[in-house]
Amino acid sequence: MDRKKQLLMKYKYRKPEMGIISFLCIPTKESFIGFSQDTKAYINSNCFKLGANLHRNSELQKLWNQYGESAFETGVLEVLPYDEKDKEKEDYTKELEGMCNRYLRNMERARRI
């Protein structure tokens, strides 16, 4: 198998980190919470949209424009492990939504990304 096919197969069968993401505006203590089945890609995507002034969350975009990227702490709040009993399971949306809603209920000044 050539290198290109190997890389494609590796990417196709990778298991990215799933979990809850937070963008915390340090000056205002406002948190923006979201979830993804690929946390790194989700963070990168949101940072790109914010930097390009194209983010769909107008409040987050306003704070990003006002304070800049350096005023934000971005990270993964919780990682959802893959179900080892059901190796065929691919969609973890329900579990991730439940985790996200728990954070939104329990964190002050938190809203969805």
Side-chain angles (χ1 to χ4, degrees), residues 44-57:
N44 287 340
S45 172
N46 279 281
C47 286
F48 175 80
K49 290 173 189 173
L50 288 163
N53 201 30
L54 297 171
H55 203 278
R56 63 187 167 103
N57 185 314

Side-chain angles (χ1 to χ4, degrees), residues 56-76:
R56 63 187 167 103
N57 185 314
S58 60
E59 286 298 313
L60 176 56
Q61 185 69 64
K62 179 181 168 188
L63 292 170
W64 187 275
N65 292 346
Q66 182 176 355
Y67 296 107
E69 181 177 1
S70 62
F72 281 82
E73 282 183 8
T74 304
V76 179

